[in-house]
Amino acid sequence: MLIRFERSVSREEKAALKRRAAAALPGAKAGTAAGGLVLSGFDPALAADAVPLLENMAGVREIELAREEWCPLACAAKTRRTFTKPLNFRDGFIFIAGPCAVEEEASYLASALALKAAGAHALRAALFKPRSSPYAFQGIGFAGLKIIAKAKKLTGLPLVTEATDTRQIEKLSSVCDVLQIGARNMRNYELLKEAGCSGRAVLLKRAMHATLKEWLLSAEYLLKHGAGNLVLCERGDAVFSSDGPGLDLAMLREAKKITGLPVLADPSHSTRDRALAFTMALKAARAGADGLLVEASVSPQAARVDGRQTLTVVTFSRLTGAILCKRTR
Ligand code: PEP
Ligand code: MN
């Protein structure tokens, strides 16, 4: 923690600050820095509460925390081994594919089987859809649990499903392998706490326009509440066409470097167009993504939601081929 002083700071103010810092951060060692005071060696979990106490004191201009002090668990994640279950990142690039939402049984099962044959490692299995419009299709809800359970049995593939409310977690966890926290819910802290202690792997999307710090703080919530297997997913800032398509690939790389966690890219929601999604997926793979969360199905033209950005199975198969072929060369 770096505490920068006002130029006018007095010796008494500095002494008072050191006393309060010692009380708020037991074990902290104080050192000097140009124009300020450096505190280290304290429990980082105490920093968030100590900052407002200290920054309010006379003589303090600003306080800066080191990254290891505001997201210690996310930073320490790189010392953990990359997980192998339910998604085996150790073996290489991961494709999570499926329609935007589960709509009805026959087409979902057909998509699940075809996508597996085309190289998918896990299935998108969304029953609850957080939609920008309250009039838009909201997903089929728990009525779809038996459909996705059938798909899992038929294909043997793990299921990735979005939880939009804490009350869904238990039931979804009984069938699904990975709980997805969508972009709109990245800042839903109660949902993060509940998903963290669900015992399931969690996939955390970056919210539209969220900074790296906000994204990692949400990851920190999940880790603090027990998430053993956490994967991040960059999905870009686009919601409606007024936002340009694109992924923040520099942020994806930075998140990967800082945390060591697997980081996926979502070429579908970041482009809203299947032709652009294909190109974006290749670009993300080249930029170092550990895998893709991509919309693909046997019948994009019949989808009630996001059909325009959904790849056909044939295109998905071309995509897996193109990415895997580059990687094995
Ligand atoms: C999704 O992946 O199904 C989804 C709704 O995406 P996002 O949360 O990124 O909008
Ligand atoms: Mn979608």
Side-chain angles (χ1 to χ4, degrees):
M1 176 184 295
L2 171 61
I3 304 178
R4 292 201 178 86
F5 298 134
E6 298 282 8
R7 274 156 88 128
S8 57
V9 67
S10 67
R11 197 186 294 186
E12 292 72 32
E13 285 168 342
K14 282 187 191 174
L17 185 64
K18 279 192 185 169
R19 279 197 301 277
R20 189 171 287 181
L25 298 168
K29 291 184 197 62
T32 46
L37 176 70
V38 178
L39 298 172
S40 59
F42 53 85
D43 177 356
L46 300 175
D49 275 345
V51 169
L53 288 178
L54 300 174
E55 70 185 359
N56 216 4
M57 293 188 72
V60 174
R61 181 157 60 86
E62 63 178 359
I63 297 187
E64 204 180 297
L65 287 181
R67 196 179 281 131
E68 290 72 15
E69 291 164 347
W70 56 260
C71 65
L73 299 173
C75 287
K78 67 178 139 210
T79 60
R80 286 195 221 114
R81 290 180 322 173
T82 301
F83 60 90
T84 54
K85 268 187 176 170
L87 304 170
N88 190 352
F89 286 100
R90 194 97 49 82
D91 264 8
F93 203 81
I94 290 286
F95 293 93
I96 305 172
C100 178
V102 178
E103 297 184 15
E104 51 79 37
E105 182 167 325
S107 68
Y108 186 72
L109 297 182
S111 292
L113 285 167
L115 291 167
K116 180 182 179 172
H121 301 98
L123 297 172
R124 284 181 56 94
L127 304 180
F128 296 95
K129 295 305 303 173
R131 305 302 304 281
S132 300
S133 165
Y135 304 109
F137 173 58
Q138 308 278 314
I140 61 172
F142 288 127
L145 271 183
K146 54 183 187 317
I147 302 178
I148 58 175
K150 238 184 222 177
K152 182 170 168 170
K153 199 161 170 212
L154 266 177
T155 61
L157 294 182
L159 303 175
V160 180
T161 201
E162 178 160 1
T164 57
D165 189 296
T166 53
R167 290 166 295 184
Q168 298 159 1
I169 298 234
E170 203 178 326
K171 245 185 183 171
L172 290 176
S173 301
S174 68
V175 174
C176 300
D177 304 273
V178 183
L179 295 174
Q180 177 176 327
I181 304 294
R184 288 159 189 78
N185 277 309
M186 186 205 84
R187 301 185 182 93
N188 182 340
Y189 303 113
E190 294 308 315
L191 185 61
L192 295 174
K193 290 180 196 172
E194 208 62 27
C197 64
S198 65
R200 292 293 169 202
V202 182
L203 185 161
L204 173 68
K205 288 191 141 187
R206 181 175 72 85
M208 287 75 88
H209 302 289
T211 62
L212 178 65
K213 182 167 183 176
E214 285 180 287
W215 192 18
L216 296 187
L217 281 170
S218 292
E220 189 74 12
Y221 261 95
L222 288 160
L223 294 166
K224 178 173 186 307
H225 288 272
N229 287 333
L230 176 58
V231 50
L232 303 177
C233 180
E234 160 58 12
R235 57 86 74 214
D237 295 324
V239 187
F240 294 116
S241 48
S242 55
D243 289 302
L247 288 165
D248 192 332
L249 294 171
M251 203 186 304
L252 179 153
R253 277 196 296 265
E254 192 63 11
K256 206 174 135 154
K257 192 169 100 198
I258 294 168
T259 65
L261 292 167
V263 187
L264 307 177
D266 176 346
S268 311
H269 294 91
S270 54
T271 59
R272 305 190 55 77
D273 175 296
R274 74 174 68 88
L276 293 179
F278 185 86
T279 320
M280 189 61 78
L282 294 177
K283 208 168 149 189
R286 276 197 303 272
D290 294 292
L292 296 172
L293 176 68
V294 59
E295 290 181 340
S297 80
V298 289
S299 49
Q301 68 295 338
R304 289 177 76 183
V305 48
D306 288 349
R308 205 179 118 79
Q309 69 198 33
T310 301
L311 303 183
T312 61
V313 174
V314 173
T315 314
F316 175 71
S317 176
R318 269 180 47 221
L319 182 64
T320 57
I323 291 176
L324 297 180
C325 152
K326 284 233 166 57
R327 296 195 148 231
T328 46
R329 251 190 236 147

